[in-house]
Amino acid sequence: MTQARGRTVRPYLRRIGARALAGVGVLFGAATLGFLALYVLPGDPVYAIAGNPDQVSLSAEQVAAIRETYGFDQPLYQQYLEYLGQLVRGDLGTSYQRQQPVTTLIADQLGPTVQLAAAAFATTLVLAFAVSLLTAKRRFGRGVSSVVELFFISAPGFWVGIVLLTVFSFRLGWLPAIGSGGWQTLVLPALTIAVGAAPPLIQVLRNGLEDTLDEPFVLTARTRGLSEAAVRLRHALRHALIPLTTLTGFLVGGLLGGAVIAETLFSRQGVGRVLVTAVTANDVPLVLGLVLLAALAYVVVNFLVDVVYPLIDPRLRSEVTA
Amino acid sequence: MSATPEVTEAAEPPPAAVLAGTVAVPGRRWTAGSRRGFGWAFWVSAAVLGLIALAAVAPSLLAPHDPLATDLAAVLAPPSAEHVFGTDESGRDIASRLVHGARNAVLLGVGATAIAVGVGSVVGVIAGLGNRLLDGLLMRLTDVSLAFPELLLALLIIAVFGGGTLNVVLAIGIAGIPNYARLIRGQTLAVRRSGYVEAARGIGLNRRRIVTGHVLPNAIRPVIVLATIGIGTATLAGAGLSFLGLGVSPPTPEWGSMLSVSRNYLELAWWYGAFPGLAITALVISTTTMGRQLQARVEGRTG
Amino acid sequence: MNAPEALLDVRRLSVSFGRGAGDEVVKGISFQVQRGESVAIVGESGSGKSVTARTIVGLTGDRSEVRADGLRFGGRDLLSLATRDWRSIRGREIGFVLQDALVSLDPLRTVAKEIEEPIRAHFGWPKERRQQEVLALLSSVGVPEPELRRHQFPHELSGGLRQRALIASAIAAQPSFLILDEPTTALDVTIQAQILRLLEQLRDEGHTLLFITHDLAVVARIADRVLVMNDGRIVEEGPTARLFADPRHDYTRTLLASVPSERTKGERLWSWRPPVAASPAPATRTVVAELAGVTKTFRLPGGTPLVAVDDLSLRLESGRTLGLVGESGSGKTTAGRILLGSTQPDAGAVTVAGRSWATAGRREAAELRRQIQVVYQDPLSSFDPRHTVRRILTEAVGAAGVDGRGSRAGRVRELLDQVGLATTFLDRHPLRLSGGQRQRVAIARALALEPRIIVCDEPVSALDVSIQAQVLDLFDDIQRETGVALLFISHDLGVIRHVSDDVLVLKDGRTVERGPTEEVFARPREPYTKELLAAVPRLHVSTPAGRDT
């Protein structure tokens, strides 16, 4: 038995190591793209800092001063190295518009967003598992559910939020329309995000379940006298989880994008609102900081999935498949 | 393209029918149509899209009123015979504004999808056909771009280049490229390694004829389906950006921004938000349905 | 009509999927199985044999409709069972073994978890006792080191051990009746022999067995009684020895005659048409392709080297067939690919039509490829999914240098005729063809190039025995007409013996034995060849003997 363990653990660790390295590589690439966005693509960043050149006229000295403050007078490669060095130290630069460290601005507003994303994530998973398990291979259930899913996939998330607001806040008065204090204010925003994010998950999970329920080993399990619930929970569900890996990117994007929309719609505090304000003001360092944070979230989530999946699928653990 | 890689090379995952960030979920069990012909859902969708296309081309044919004409006597009037979808806060006819907004919606959806699918396909095919170095380079670039959620990437592009209709189209289009590039590359590789390409080599066809006769046509075969479904996704992304105030500027009729403004009148006028929302939803449902049925048909024919 | 104590009593059973009588897959069959008996249902794909087996455990699926005048097991009326009652029978009274344990055991669960599942479902035993029972079960089905094996996953076990584990799980809740659906089909012949021995052991321990199989030879070895199914009906039923010695139904007779073996050598398997006249045999044998001392090593993911082919030499002569036989992993497919030039050998020389792949330039290689064609087990993946039969063949005819639309079309018709397909198939997609028809299209494409060599890699392994017989006859015709040299790769010793002039036995990439087919089969010199031949279950149709061994 120890022999078997030894055979499977080492490739697993190697795989994890490789994935961690790949994740770091992606972050490095993302930072580089970010640098390009920050320094190479836009016209003159000086005006993004000082304001629209149509409205603000700057003297040559003023321009030079700004250039020096932000290091624009340095050669490009030096700026790049400087920028990477800052990133490694956890310094995301200074906001053009608010003249404060980006890190501080983000840290102040991160809490409510994390709360919202977590609540939305939990709701999405509960919805996805419940609906897919209940409707897989059930003709009527999947028919009804498919129509509902198609609707929620196709409806703009914020419009769904507006409808929820109209019904539950204004008509029924059950939940608060705006604000970010207490669990009640989380319900509608989290639900708004979840009904948009869940349908693709439901469809992938259900297709996975249905494919698995057609497998010979499920027939074998049934011939052993297992109940339908046991077949679904003990055998099919685990297999259905495997294709979900393809959706991690979608899920992270859906939750974060959803948070931006939901925070705006429900007037909640959070980094999503900060982002929208920053975009409107062309505050590239702040936008970039937030986008890099999202990339970090994506890399971390993908890494965690990579760590967990071999535990679900032992075939990923061993070196050679027969 | 010499020897088919055997044990040494890890198998490429099959071209996933799931596009992260889009709704291209395998539709094989969904279809409301038979295997050979299209079902009613396809034709209803086609009719809806036809109507929207007509509105985009010749809005004055369909619109009962001038979309910009204000009527202070009829501010936020509920649906009636005169104003079938009611009026907005300036007394403008919502139905007419929806009709006139169609052009923008279509341009945005089609334009952004054309950029995303077009550039994505070219990059994907080049990566799939190219040597290891080129492929590696393009795919690492794709990996990096995929780490940015699409909406956020679009926001970054707008932050750099500024808002406005054209930039929104560009932003959504560019943000969508990596996904399509990755899909088409996977498809290209799968075709390159397929039995029929090996068979074509076996009967002595040269590389050029194999690439043009077998690899390319099969590699880009999913593009039409992806593009159809992609129009819906792009429309949604555009609506999202309009809602955040980054799209066209008022009073130009635009579905997303109408919805955005309607937020302020939720308690007074349900119709203000309801109809633009339904318009967007109908457009996206129709493209998604058509795409899935096309997909089911393609899969049904070729297994 | 039947003895009252029959364990299983099926009367006028019909099963249909969808609506209408045309959708019936089982059409009013009746049979009994007595306690302690070993009965086989034999049939080709689509005969309804597997559906019949599933009906007995109530698992035909949601869309099926089961009708019968009577369906009784152990004195209970199965037709009136509620879901809960069905569950109490499955696993506990009727055990079920499917083919290919790699997909019939849950790949995500350990062997122990799978084996103890019926115990958990039917007995309220504590964990300790369940674990003890799993160990005992593994030992009883002949799995060595059960303590180690039970913690492994199906993919970590060899094919034979996997199949044993699957059988262990089927008998875990101590059912007295076992249904075995193609229990040895995916296995190598030596493993198959071991599993058959295990099944004999179960029979001798008092289990009642119901086999579902397409393999007549397996039946001959293990069943007391045989039911032959065709198109949803039982066409013949009888004691094994009688049925094989004296088949009464036409279908049974053709089925038995279709099985390739030493007896069928040089004869037609299927068609009544006499073999085409052979082109006059050349005075001297011409060598058209040769492998000399060829070695190929692959590197597995993880770095372990795998010697796929080790110092292999062989020679193909025009008008003759070389049979390459071996179990899975013996390197026979790699050998074929090296000959085809799709895999580069690490060492050794490959000569095709007097030239070498290694020295051929791009243009010369393309020319060389036309000389040597290939037919695979599954031809479907070798057809562009967009193309019709017409386009597939036209492309090949064009590649062969036939110019002009009219002459191409004419050549395509000629080819279709040569492989026995009507021109109505021209506008069909291969997906819409049957397995045998697809294989004919693949053969026609190969012939389009007028090759001197055809590599046939398991070309009939996926086909039913009657279709297999027709395709083998076709190869025979083609060789007589065109004098093409065939490299025939197969795991099936009966097929190899039927088609080959010479044979080469491979094991783990090494050549074990070679020689004229009859010599090797009749007087094998090497222990491995002897073991291989001994493992093959045989049909002794001509001799009215008792149960064959």
Side-chain angles (χ1 to χ4, degrees):
Chain A
M1 200 183 132
T2 40
Q3 185 196 343
R5 285 273 152 77
R7 265 214 327 259
T8 54
V9 167
R10 269 202 18 241
Y12 175 56
L13 290 179
R14 206 164 33 221
R15 185 187 150 94
I16 298 296
R19 289 307 161 115
L21 219 62
V24 172
V26 166
L27 281 179
F28 169 74
T32 306
L33 279 187
F35 174 79
L36 290 176
L38 199 48
Y39 290 95
V40 179
L41 292 176
D44 194 335
V46 170
Y47 288 100
I49 297 162
N52 194 321
D54 302 338
Q55 291 151 19
V56 191
S57 58
L58 296 173
S59 67
E61 291 79 40
Q62 282 171 308
V63 170
I66 294 175
R67 280 186 193 284
E68 203 183 320
T69 317
Y70 286 86
F72 297 146
D73 53 345
Q74 313 260 338
L76 203 61
Y77 75 93
Q78 211 159 335
Q79 291 187 41
Y80 177 57
L81 291 180
E82 179 77 3
Y83 165 82
L84 285 183
Q86 284 181 357
L87 277 188
V88 171
R89 291 194 300 271
D91 179 358
L92 291 168
T94 308
S95 156
Y96 289 165
Q97 194 202 12
R98 303 224 221 158
Q99 313 291 337
Q100 283 179 48
V102 168
T103 335
T104 319
L105 288 171
I106 293 178
D108 284 350
Q109 298 289 321
L110 198 57
T113 304
V114 169
Q115 259 182 26
L116 176 59
F121 179 62
T123 316
T124 305
L125 285 191
V126 169
L127 269 176
F129 281 107
V131 175
S132 59
L133 277 168
L134 289 174
T135 60
K137 289 244 168 197
R138 305 254 159 84
R139 259 181 136 174
F140 181 72
R142 92 186 309 284
V144 172
S145 179
S146 295
V147 173
V148 177
E149 288 152 28
L150 180 62
F151 180 82
F152 280 113
I153 277 180
S154 305
F158 59 93
W159 183 58
V160 172
I162 288 175
V163 173
L164 289 176
L165 263 180
T166 314
V167 175
F168 291 101
S169 295
F170 299 133
R171 297 279 147 140
L172 300 171
W174 289 355
L175 291 158
I178 53 164
S180 40
W183 66 269
Q184 296 96 329
T185 61
L186 264 181
V187 176
L188 287 182
L191 206 57
T192 303
I193 299 173
V195 295
L201 258 68
I202 292 173
Q203 297 183 344
V204 168
L205 265 177
R206 187 170 48 213
N207 282 343
L209 282 171
E210 292 185 341
D211 287 346
T212 311
L213 287 171
D214 284 336
E215 292 282 341
F217 63 81
V218 166
L219 181 64
T220 302
R222 291 188 202 278
T223 65
R224 292 172 183 149
L226 254 61
S227 67
E228 184 62 29
V231 165
R232 285 180 184 228
L233 293 172
R234 272 194 238 154
H235 290 274
L237 184 59
R238 228 171 129 183
H239 289 263
L241 287 177
I242 295 167
L244 269 192
T245 28
T246 55
L247 282 189
T248 41
F250 164 80
L251 192 57
V252 173
L255 290 177
L256 296 180
V260 174
I261 300 270
E263 282 174 6
T264 307
L265 176 61
F266 294 95
S267 310
R268 287 178 58 84
Q269 289 194 323
V271 289
R273 301 255 329 258
V274 173
L275 177 62
V276 175
T277 329
V279 170
T280 322
N282 290 19
D283 190 345
V284 179
L286 187 48
V287 175
L288 188 58
L290 287 161
V291 171
L292 284 181
L293 189 68
L296 178 68
Y298 170 87
V299 168
V300 169
V301 169
N302 259 337
F303 177 70
L304 289 179
V305 168
D306 278 334
V307 171
V308 170
Y309 264 72
L311 303 180
I312 295 175
D313 188 346
R315 288 167 298 187
L316 297 176
R317 264 179 267 162
S318 54
E319 226 160 318
V320 184
T321 33
Chain B
M1 257 183 86
S2 55
T4 307
E6 290 202 347
V7 196
T8 41
E9 200 157 336
E12 193 62 20
V18 176
L19 268 172
T22 78
V23 289
V25 170
R28 56 210 140 115
R29 295 195 192 80
W30 189 83
T31 50
S34 70
R35 202 170 190 182
R36 302 235 94 176
F38 292 114
W40 57 267
F42 181 87
W43 297 113
V44 170
S45 305
V48 171
L49 293 181
L51 199 67
I52 292 173
L54 181 62
V57 177
S60 36
L61 278 180
L62 296 172
H65 298 276
D66 179 350
L68 299 178
T70 55
D71 178 3
L72 293 179
V75 168
L76 293 177
S80 64
E82 174 69 11
H83 301 288
V84 282
F85 292 167
T87 62
D88 68 7
E89 77 278 12
S90 309
R92 293 175 295 214
D93 181 51
I94 289 179
S96 303
R97 291 179 64 74
L98 283 181
V99 169
H100 282 269
R103 182 175 296 171
N104 229 314
V106 170
L107 284 181
L108 183 132
V110 174
T113 308
I115 294 172
V117 176
V119 179
S121 304
V122 170
V123 172
V125 165
I126 289 175
L129 285 180
N131 58 24
R132 218 169 264 253
L133 185 73
L134 186 64
D135 181 30
L137 204 70
L138 286 172
M139 280 308 110
R140 293 300 79 75
L141 197 65
T142 310
D143 281 344
V144 171
S145 343
L146 281 174
F148 301 115
E150 274 181 64
L151 180 71
L152 270 58
L153 191 54
L155 284 176
L156 178 64
I157 294 169
I158 290 173
V160 171
F161 294 107
T165 314
L166 184 66
N167 282 357
V168 166
V169 172
L170 275 173
I172 295 172
I174 293 170
I177 291 172
N179 257 325
Y180 293 106
R182 158 150 301 211
L183 272 166
I184 296 299
R185 174 205 177 241
Q187 178 77 11
T188 309
L189 282 182
V191 173
R192 245 181 89 170
R193 292 170 189 173
S194 71
Y196 54 88
V197 164
E198 197 181 331
R201 212 177 295 132
I203 60 173
L205 294 188
N206 62 30
R207 189 191 153 110
R208 191 180 54 80
R209 279 189 63 186
I210 292 173
V211 169
T212 55
H214 294 279
V215 180
L216 284 181
N218 282 295
I220 61 168
R221 212 155 51 104
V223 162
I224 179 107
V225 171
L226 290 177
T228 313
I229 296 176
I231 290 175
T233 322
T235 305
L236 281 182
L241 292 178
S242 291
F243 169 76
L244 296 175
L246 303 167
V248 299
S249 38
T252 314
E254 205 271 339
W255 299 354
S257 49
M258 285 170 74
L259 260 178
S260 185
V261 180
S262 79
R263 237 181 341 145
N264 305 321
Y265 307 98
L266 278 186
E267 285 166 283
L268 302 169
W270 59 266
W271 55 89
Y272 195 173
F275 292 109
L278 279 176
I280 295 174
T281 309
L283 171 60
V284 180
I285 285 183
S286 302
T287 55
T288 308
T289 303
M290 280 187 81
R292 286 182 182 182
Q293 296 227 350
L294 282 171
Q295 186 177 31
R297 191 163 147 125
V298 167
E299 283 174 3
R301 180 159 62 83
T302 64
Chain C
M1 187 174 130
N2 59 301
E5 69 272 21
L7 181 59
L8 176 69
D9 185 359
V10 178
R11 289 197 203 170
R12 291 185 19 100
L13 169 73
S14 296
V15 184
S16 56
F17 293 89
R19 301 180 204 295
D23 299 321
E24 276 191 350
V25 285
V26 176
K27 299 168 180 170
I29 64 168
S30 305
F31 65 94
Q32 288 87 38
V33 177
Q34 307 296 329
R35 225 171 268 279
E37 233 190 340
S38 171
V39 176
I41 301 181
V42 177
E44 298 186 287
S45 50
S47 62
K49 57 188 194 304
S50 282
V51 173
T52 305
R54 278 159 210 203
T55 310
I56 302 166
V57 285
L59 288 172
T60 39
D62 298 335
R63 309 224 168 135
S64 61
E65 197 188 316
V66 176
R67 274 165 293 115
D69 287 354
L71 188 60
R72 301 179 67 80
F73 176 81
R76 287 160 88 177
D77 179 12
L78 296 180
L79 288 171
S80 63
L81 287 188
T83 316
R84 181 176 295 271
D85 303 324
W86 268 121
R87 290 214 300 269
S88 69
I89 286 183
R90 292 177 199 148
R92 179 69 190 87
E93 291 179 44
I94 304 176
F96 204 106
V97 179
L98 284 159
Q99 78 176 66
D100 195 1
L102 188 59
V103 291
S104 297
L105 286 173
D106 192 333
L108 304 188
R109 288 155 54 100
T110 59
V111 166
K113 273 237 159 64
E114 285 287 278
I115 295 178
E116 71 168 9
E117 196 163 64
I119 306 176
R120 287 175 65 154
H122 296 288
F123 308 134
W125 291 359
K127 194 175 172 200
E128 286 289 298
R129 188 166 171 199
R130 287 203 309 264
Q131 285 177 348
Q132 287 309 310
E133 186 65 17
V134 167
L135 287 175
L137 281 163
L138 280 171
S139 303
S140 77
V141 296
V143 172
E145 302 179 274
E147 184 63 52
L148 166 74
R149 299 297 176 193
R150 67 178 174 143
H151 294 294
Q152 293 187 318
F153 291 93
H155 72 271
E156 296 175 319
L157 298 180
S158 69
L161 289 186
R162 236 178 354 237
Q163 196 68 20
R164 287 173 194 271
L166 181 63
I167 292 172
S169 91
I171 61 173
Q174 303 159 9
S176 60
F177 184 54
L178 283 180
I179 300 174
L180 305 119
D181 192 349
E182 304 275 8
T184 60
T185 296
L187 302 174
D188 277 330
V189 59
T190 48
I191 309 296
Q192 181 181 6
Q194 293 168 16
I195 297 294
L196 285 176
R197 228 168 285 141
L198 170 61
L199 296 176
E200 281 168 345
Q201 175 198 327
L202 290 174
R203 181 189 62 193
D204 297 343
E205 284 166 4
H207 284 96
T208 307
L209 305 181
L210 178 64
F211 286 92
I212 312 297
T213 184
H214 72 285
D215 189 337
L216 293 157
V218 165
V219 169
R221 170 158 173 175
I222 198 145
D224 301 321
R225 205 149 57 79
V226 178
L227 315 172
V228 181
M229 274 188 89
N230 181 31
D231 192 24
R233 294 196 174 81
I234 294 178
V235 296
E236 184 163 2
E237 174 178 357
T240 311
R242 197 280 295 157
L243 192 116
F244 280 79
D246 176 25
R248 289 174 192 162
H249 194 276
D250 277 349
Y251 179 75
T252 317
R253 244 175 262 145
T254 358
L255 205 59
L256 285 168
S258 304
V259 179
S261 66
E262 77 263 31
R263 191 187 50 78
T264 62
K265 182 103 195 158
E267 286 175 27
R268 313 294 291 174
L269 285 169
W270 185 261
S271 60
W272 307 113
R273 196 162 55 128
V276 294
S279 46
T284 51
R285 291 181 182 176
T286 345
V287 177
V288 288
E290 195 170 3
L291 295 184
V294 162
T295 298
K296 177 71 188 174
T297 306
F298 289 115
R299 207 152 281 284
L300 297 175
T304 344
L306 173 82
V307 183
V309 171
D310 193 358
D311 193 22
L312 174 68
S313 299
L314 58 81
R315 220 173 241 206
L316 297 180
E317 290 162 359
S318 60
R320 288 176 71 83
T321 303
L322 174 66
L324 200 55
V325 68
E327 299 188 294
S328 50
S330 61
K332 50 192 196 300
T333 291
T334 308
R337 293 182 59 87
I338 289 174
L339 193 66
L340 284 162
S342 4
T343 296
Q344 315 292 327
D346 301 327
V350 188
T351 320
V352 172
R355 281 175 290 182
S356 156
W357 288 115
T359 58
R362 189 174 274 199
R363 188 173 292 271
E364 201 185 349
E367 171 55 35
L368 211 47
R369 283 203 181 94
R370 296 186 190 122
Q371 305 276 345
I372 180 164
Q373 290 296 300
V374 61
V375 176
Y376 289 115
Q377 174 176 348
D378 169 30
L380 186 59
S381 62
S382 77
F383 300 131
D384 190 320
R386 297 172 305 131
H387 290 186
T388 58
V389 171
R390 184 196 303 276
R391 200 156 160 200
I392 290 163
L393 293 182
T394 308
E395 185 181 59
V397 167
V402 178
D403 281 329
R405 190 178 283 254
S407 40
R408 280 187 195 176
R411 177 75 177 125
V412 166
R413 270 163 216 281
E414 217 175 281
L415 287 167
L416 272 191
D417 184 55
Q418 199 175 0
V419 297
L421 284 179
T423 46
T424 47
F425 285 101
L426 273 175
D427 291 310
R428 293 233 226 142
H429 284 273
L431 189 72
R432 302 255 175 271
L433 300 179
S434 72
Q437 291 161 350
R438 280 176 202 159
Q439 206 56 286
R440 284 171 195 271
V441 175
I443 294 168
R445 175 171 62 187
L447 289 176
L449 284 298
E450 299 179 21
R452 302 173 71 179
I453 307 127
I454 301 180
V455 175
C456 313
D457 192 350
E458 303 273 6
V460 293
S461 305
L463 303 176
D464 275 326
V465 62
S466 57
I467 309 296
Q468 166 179 300
Q470 296 165 33
V471 172
L472 290 178
D473 282 353
L474 177 62
F475 275 120
D476 187 43
D477 283 344
I478 286 167
Q479 193 170 45
R480 282 169 201 269
E481 279 172 51
T482 63
V484 68
L486 297 179
L487 177 65
F488 206 100
I489 299 169
S490 180
H491 71 285
D492 187 325
L493 290 143
V495 170
I496 286 289
R497 188 164 197 179
H498 175 79
V499 300
S500 311
D501 298 305
D502 302 291
V503 67
L504 195 151
V505 183
L506 277 182
K507 181 177 195 294
D508 300 329
R510 283 192 200 89
T511 309
V512 176
E513 189 162 355
R514 67 167 84 213
T517 307
E518 277 322 299
E519 208 174 296
V520 171
F521 273 75
R523 287 175 299 281
R525 292 186 306 269
E526 297 298 320
Y528 177 70
T529 317
K530 286 178 187 158
E531 187 194 342
L532 210 56
L533 289 171
V536 181
R538 273 210 196 84
L539 280 174
H540 278 278
V541 186
S542 42
T543 45
R547 181 187 288 159
D548 200 274
T549 44

